């Protein structure tokens, strides 16, 4: 039986060999954290390599994702479907081993990491999901939702501001089954961190309400085991295990130095490292007895089988709860959801209300929440403005986690990345709100949701200069363009209660990516529609008002500007100009329709086109072309009542009519 050092050295060898073969990568972190990984993965981590999606597995997150070869080595050695050839193809096109861990590429990769600190945030979300789901479904004698979330993080994660946001909330909520390992090696890309990072990390995390285990020798298996045991005994607080490690451990000339952080060691140094470690095997050569000692498949099968038996018992005693838990873990919507959604949209249409679309959003949530117990809502300290709460929602607290609404506090970035973790965990449909302007704080987590294809519903209110008196610091201008430029993100900006309800339903039904729902502060009138027009809303763009025959002019608008477009069209029609008004609440969804449908809405023969939106103009030129015009914003806003601002910036029906006239 190989000893622990030999087992850890297998990680070091695979990592330095793969980085060398790729001619790029980060060998330092895998070599420094190999001993911690060996103890955690072989002695504590509950997982089944033959079923990476086992719902009750422990989650493992490598927040310092540049050390990806650590994770790939662990997955390969443990018996996941990640053959040695994939490690040899590290960082190569179409391999399962990209430069940073990518969710969906290799089995066992729980989340995409690399933007530092976000892995920790995802881990907080996973631990939070476990806590809330367990509170909702576990019953006396039946702990069917019961797992840990483990996270590795480094100095870079600690320095990123998001780590403060999410660690603070994790402590407040008492996420005691979250255990983080801080790779305290004192080195970052620029060298010794003492020149720019001298925080008292222990005091910092203790102030958040964490249990902190300081000064653990990250190369001593006994100390690591003791620390993990101590962490697991405290289920009232999350735990930070501070591990002193040596980056690039084993490299005679590069360990403890930034030179081992982000570049191959070099063939000569690798040979010296093999000699130093006593590793007598060639590149990518792992002895069979090492594989056998690492193989977690047998243990994993037994763990999952025991859980399956526990689920059988739970199912017998609580059949309805078990069926609901299984539905939610599969990510399936209630069987009658489509019919229910259609009725909700019909009922909202019948009311013909004039309200702000943020209020229309709350109405939609209120209608959907009773039939979607998997909703896990929240807001970044703006619930009263975002209107993200609904009658009957219950806050998640430290003492009572059996809720469905999270007060995230003023933590937009942390909230969004935590929601990504909740979505990745499963069992919930997360949504969270803030002002559209403060999407900027959360921008990278929004991008990560799209990259990972996660159903994360992003609620953004106060969407334009219509915000009014708070002024240009709060008035979104360029944010819509940024969202629409993000691959795999659907951005919905509805014009009334009906489009808002459709947008919510589409966001809920979408399972391959996030949706941004953009809502107004000011009241928006109901738009009359026929049944086929209501059905067409989900196509992202449709004809809202039309003229007999082929129109001379097409006016395209979204959100609060649809009202202006309709008013302008009425003036033009009275003056004898045939006009079509196209409402385009979601351009991404419209682009996904057939060419025939898009041509039917925006016929290429009609070249006189005007788009109107109280935001940056540039996006709309793809629809109006060089012969068309855009009525929008080319500057920041001002502080004044909304009506005054719309007049000041030329966002009026008269301005649109004048623009159409000038097109000739």
């Amino acid at each position: 039986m190989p000893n622990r050092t030999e087992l850890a050295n297998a990680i070091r060898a695979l990592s330095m060999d793969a980085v060398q073969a790729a001619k790029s990568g980060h060998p330092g972190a895998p070599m420094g954290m190999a001993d911690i990984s060996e103890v955690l993965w072989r002695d504590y981590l509950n997982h089944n390599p033959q079923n990476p999606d086992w719902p009750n597995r422990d989650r493992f997150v490598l927040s310092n994702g540049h050390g990806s070869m650590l994770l790939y080595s662990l997955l390969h050695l443990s018996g996941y479907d990640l053959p040695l050839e994939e490690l040899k193809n590290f960082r190569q096109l179409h391999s399962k081993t990209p430069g940073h861990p990518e969710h969906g590429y290799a089995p066992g990769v729980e989340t995409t990491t690399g933007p530092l600190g976000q892995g920790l945030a995802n881990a907080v979300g996973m631990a939070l999901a476990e806590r809330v789901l367990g509170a909702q479904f576990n019953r006396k004698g039946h702990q069917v939702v019961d797992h840990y979330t483990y996270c590795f993080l480094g100095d870079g994660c600690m320095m990123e501001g998001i780590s403060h946001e999410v660690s603070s909330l994790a402590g407040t909520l008492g996420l005691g089954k979250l255990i983080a390992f801080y790779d305290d090696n004192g080195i970052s890309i620029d060298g010794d961190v003492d020149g720019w990072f001298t925080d008292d990390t222990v005091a910092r995390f203790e102030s958040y309400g964490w249990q902190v285990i300081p000064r653990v020798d990250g190369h001593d298996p006994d100390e690591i085991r003791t620390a993990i045991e101590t962490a697991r005994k405290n289920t009232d607080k999350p735990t930070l295990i501070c591990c002193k490690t040596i980056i690039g451990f084993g490299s005679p000339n590069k360990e403890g130095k930034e030179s081992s952080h982000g570049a191959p060691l070099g063939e000569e140094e690798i040979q010296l490292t093999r000699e130093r470690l006593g590793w007598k095997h060639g590149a990518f050569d792992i002895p069979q007895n090492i594989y056998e000692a690492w193989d977690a498949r047998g243990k994993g099968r037994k763990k999952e089988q025991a859980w399956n038996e526990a689920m059988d018992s739970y199912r017998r005693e609580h059949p309805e709860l078990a069926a609901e838990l299984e539905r939610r873990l599969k990510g399936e919507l209630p069987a009658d959801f489509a019919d229910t959604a259609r009725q909700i949209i019909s009922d909202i249409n019948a009311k013909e209300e004039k309200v702000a679309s943020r209020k229309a959003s709350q109405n939609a949530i209120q209608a959907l929440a009773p039939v979607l117990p998997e909703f896990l809502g929240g807001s970044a300290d703006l619930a009263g403005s975002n209107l993200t709460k609904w009658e009957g929602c219950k806050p998640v607290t430290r003492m009572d986690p059996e809720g469905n609404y999270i007060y995230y506090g003023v933590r937009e970035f942390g909230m969004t990345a935590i929601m990504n973790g909740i979505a990745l965990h499963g069992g919930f449909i997360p949504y969270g709100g803030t002002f559209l302007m403060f999407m900027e704080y959360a921008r990278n987590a929004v991008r990560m949701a799209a990259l990972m294809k996660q159903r994360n519903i992003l609620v953004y209110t106060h969407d334009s200069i219509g915000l009014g008196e708070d002024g240009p610091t709060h008035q979104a201008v360029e944010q819509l363009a940024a969202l629409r430029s993000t691959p795999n993100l659907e951005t919905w900006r509805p014009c009334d209660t009906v489009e808002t309800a459709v947008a919510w339903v589409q966001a809920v039904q979408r399972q391959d990516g996030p949706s941004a729902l953009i809502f107004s502060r000011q009241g928006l009138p109901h738009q009359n529609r026929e049944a086929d027009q209501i059905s067409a809303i989900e196509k992202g763009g449709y004809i809202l008002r039309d003229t007999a025959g082929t129109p001379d002019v097409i006016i395209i608008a979204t959100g609060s500007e649809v009202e202006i477009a309709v008013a302008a069209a009425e003036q033009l029609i009275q003056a004898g100009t045939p006009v079509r008004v196209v409402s385009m609440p979601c351009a991404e969804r419209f682009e996904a329709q057939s060419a025939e449908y898009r041509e039917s809405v925006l016929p290429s023969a009609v070249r006189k086109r005007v788009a109107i939106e109280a935001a940056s103009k540039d996006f709309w030129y793809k629809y109006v072309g060089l012969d068309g015009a855009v009525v929008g914003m080319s500057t920041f806003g001002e502080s004044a009542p909304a009506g005054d601002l719309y007049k000041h910036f030329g966002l009026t029906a008269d301005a649109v009519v004048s623009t159409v006239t000038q097109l000739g």
Side-chain angles (χ1 to χ4, degrees):
M1 175 71 177
N3 61 38
R4 289 191 178 277
T5 300
E6 291 175 292
L7 295 171
N9 284 344
I11 297 172
R12 295 185 173 104
L14 286 172
S15 297
M16 65 184 183
D17 289 342
V19 171
Q20 187 65 34
K23 297 182 175 59
S24 70
H26 301 75
M31 296 173 74
M33 300 191 80
D35 297 299
I36 306 168
S37 305
E38 186 274 328
V39 174
L40 175 64
W41 275 62
R42 292 189 63 252
D43 293 357
Y44 293 98
L45 193 72
N46 285 334
H47 62 123
N48 182 4
Q50 293 178 304
N51 183 11
D53 297 324
W54 170 35
N56 204 47
R57 67 192 182 279
D58 290 339
R59 270 58 169 186
F60 175 80
V61 175
L62 183 69
S63 188
N64 45 341
H66 54 270
S68 56
M69 267 311 304
L70 173 65
L71 179 54
Y72 300 147
S73 298
L74 290 165
L75 295 171
H76 170 71
L77 291 168
S78 297
Y80 284 80
D81 184 16
L82 192 66
L84 192 62
E85 286 303 312
E86 292 291 348
L87 274 62
K88 293 179 180 179
N89 286 329
F90 179 52
R91 289 183 159 230
Q92 305 309 301
L93 185 63
H94 302 314
S95 76
K96 294 182 179 180
T97 51
H100 289 81
E102 301 281 353
H103 178 68
Y105 280 55
V109 176
E110 298 284 0
T111 181
T112 299
T113 56
L116 295 177
Q118 284 196 66
L120 174 60
N122 297 161
V124 171
M126 293 172 186
L128 179 56
E130 189 273 344
R131 182 87 184 279
V132 176
L133 198 66
Q136 292 180 357
F137 284 96
N138 289 341
R139 295 295 183 266
K140 185 176 180 180
H142 299 279
Q143 295 295 112
V144 292
V145 180
D146 182 18
H147 67 78
Y148 284 87
T149 301
Y150 298 101
C151 180
F152 282 6
L153 64 153
D155 291 303
C157 295
M158 286 292 192
M159 285 184 265
E160 286 287 358
I162 192 173
S163 70
H164 297 259
E165 295 183 25
V166 301
S167 298
S168 170
L169 187 61
T172 297
L173 294 176
L175 302 181
K177 293 167 81 174
L178 170 63
I179 300 175
F181 296 79
Y182 168 33
D183 181 29
D184 184 10
N185 60 35
I187 296 293
S188 67
I189 293 175
D190 283 348
D192 192 327
V193 300
D194 283 347
W196 48 86
F197 181 53
T198 57
D199 296 13
D200 186 339
T201 299
V202 173
R204 171 187 159 191
F205 275 78
E206 285 179 342
S207 75
Y208 293 151
W210 287 54
Q211 172 183 231
V212 183
I213 304 173
R215 298 180 298 280
V216 174
D217 184 344
H219 302 297
D220 185 329
D222 292 333
E223 285 196 27
I224 297 165
R225 280 183 59 85
T226 299
I228 295 173
E229 291 287 348
T230 302
R232 287 165 60 94
K233 287 176 183 176
N234 188 340
T235 57
D236 295 325
K237 296 180 177 181
T239 297
L240 179 70
I241 302 175
C242 299
C243 299
K244 290 300 271 185
T245 64
I246 300 172
I247 191 171
F249 182 91
S251 171
N253 299 301
K254 296 188 177 183
E255 70 174 13
K257 301 176 182 178
E258 65 271 22
S259 58
S260 69
H261 169 84
L265 298 180
E267 295 290 357
E268 184 177 343
E269 186 67 15
I270 285 177
Q271 184 55 40
L272 293 174
T273 303
R274 292 187 197 283
E275 294 171 6
R276 171 90 170 273
L277 295 174
W279 188 259
K280 301 177 181 179
H281 316 288
F284 297 105
D285 182 13
I286 304 296
Q288 187 60 34
N289 65 336
I290 297 283
Y291 274 124
E292 291 172 357
W294 267 107
D295 192 347
R297 288 173 292 186
K299 186 191 297 185
R301 281 195 302 271
K302 292 178 182 177
K303 290 282 186 180
E304 184 174 357
Q305 182 57 40
W307 182 78
N308 287 336
E309 292 171 2
M311 275 297 296
D312 288 341
S313 176
Y314 179 69
R315 200 175 290 109
R316 288 191 294 272
E317 192 163 337
H318 303 284
E320 292 183 2
L321 273 178
E324 177 66 7
L325 175 60
E326 290 171 330
R327 176 189 72 79
R328 286 172 54 174
L329 288 174
K330 291 176 183 176
E332 297 175 350
L333 294 174
D336 58 350
F337 179 77
D339 291 338
T340 302
R342 278 191 290 270
Q343 187 60 53
I344 288 172
I345 294 167
S346 176
D347 292 345
I348 287 175
N349 180 60
K351 293 179 180 179
E352 299 187 0
E353 291 182 299
K354 177 180 180 178
V355 296
S357 56
R358 60 172 174 159
K359 178 59 180 176
S361 169
Q362 186 180 47
N363 293 343
I365 295 171
Q366 186 67 57
L368 289 167
V371 297
L372 289 174
E374 56 263 56
F375 258 178
L376 188 55
S379 178
D381 202 50
L382 287 169
S385 294
N386 299 149
L387 303 184
T388 45
K389 295 175 64 179
W390 69 94
E391 185 179 344
C393 72
K394 178 182 177 182
V396 173
T397 67
R398 181 191 193 99
M399 301 306 296
D400 186 6
E402 190 185 356
N404 52 17
Y405 192 86
I406 300 167
Y407 289 97
Y408 285 101
V410 187
R411 302 180 177 97
E412 296 89 353
F413 191 6
M415 172 184 73
T416 309
I418 286 172
M419 289 195 296
N420 285 342
I422 292 170
L424 287 159
H425 178 278
F428 295 102
I429 299 175
Y431 74 83
T434 187
F435 287 1
L436 177 56
M437 184 67 244
F438 303 131
M439 176 280 294
E440 297 288 0
Y441 284 133
R443 181 75 180 94
N444 199 261
V446 174
R447 184 177 188 272
M448 295 297 284
L451 184 63
M452 292 190 287
K453 302 178 181 179
Q454 293 303 299
R455 179 168 50 187
N456 189 345
I457 301 178
L458 312 163
V459 178
Y460 298 130
T461 68
H462 298 63
D463 64 352
S464 68
I465 60 171
L467 171 65
E469 293 85 344
D470 277 343
T473 60
H474 285 53
Q475 292 167 5
V477 172
E478 70 274 29
Q479 285 64 42
L480 279 167
L483 290 170
R484 289 172 178 146
S485 70
T486 305
N488 198 43
L489 173 65
E490 289 192 345
T491 301
W492 291 83
R493 188 173 184 245
C495 74
D496 66 357
T497 57
V498 179
E499 284 191 0
T500 297
V502 172
W504 263 105
V505 169
Q506 293 304 306
V508 166
Q509 290 180 323
R510 186 180 188 216
Q511 297 198 20
D512 60 352
S515 301
L517 308 184
I518 316 298
F519 301 123
S520 72
R521 180 195 184 202
Q522 67 271 37
L524 307 180
H526 171 79
Q527 299 292 335
N528 293 318
R529 301 174 182 84
E530 300 295 332
D532 60 338
Q533 290 175 297
I534 294 176
S535 298
I537 294 172
E538 67 182 52
K539 295 181 179 180
Y542 65 101
I543 301 168
L544 179 64
R545 298 286 183 272
D546 209 1
T547 185
T550 302
D552 285 351
V553 180
I554 298 176
I555 302 175
I556 309 166
T558 76
S560 47
E561 288 69 68
V562 169
E563 174 186 8
I564 297 172
V566 170
E570 290 174 353
Q571 290 187 38
L572 289 164
I573 290 170
Q574 288 177 5
T577 301
V579 179
R580 170 177 293 180
V581 176
V582 171
S583 178
M584 194 175 289
C586 183
E588 298 85 5
R589 184 64 68 86
F590 181 71
E591 290 294 331
Q593 304 308 310
S594 68
E596 291 77 12
Y597 177 78
R598 286 182 278 125
E599 176 68 16
S600 72
V601 175
L602 297 175
S604 53
V606 182
R607 303 184 65 82
K608 191 183 293 187
R609 301 180 183 185
V610 175
I612 173 171
E613 188 171 63
S616 176
K617 298 179 179 181
D618 289 354
F619 173 82
W620 291 104
Y621 286 102
K622 67 186 291 185
Y623 292 113
V624 302
L626 297 178
D627 297 328
V630 180
V631 177
M633 297 293 294
S634 56
T635 67
F636 294 117
E638 295 286 351
S639 177
D644 294 344
L645 290 174
Y646 269 75
K647 291 177 183 177
H648 174 73
F649 288 107
L651 290 155
T652 64
D654 288 343
V656 175
V657 170
S658 176
T659 301
V660 170
T661 302
Q662 290 173 25
L663 289 178

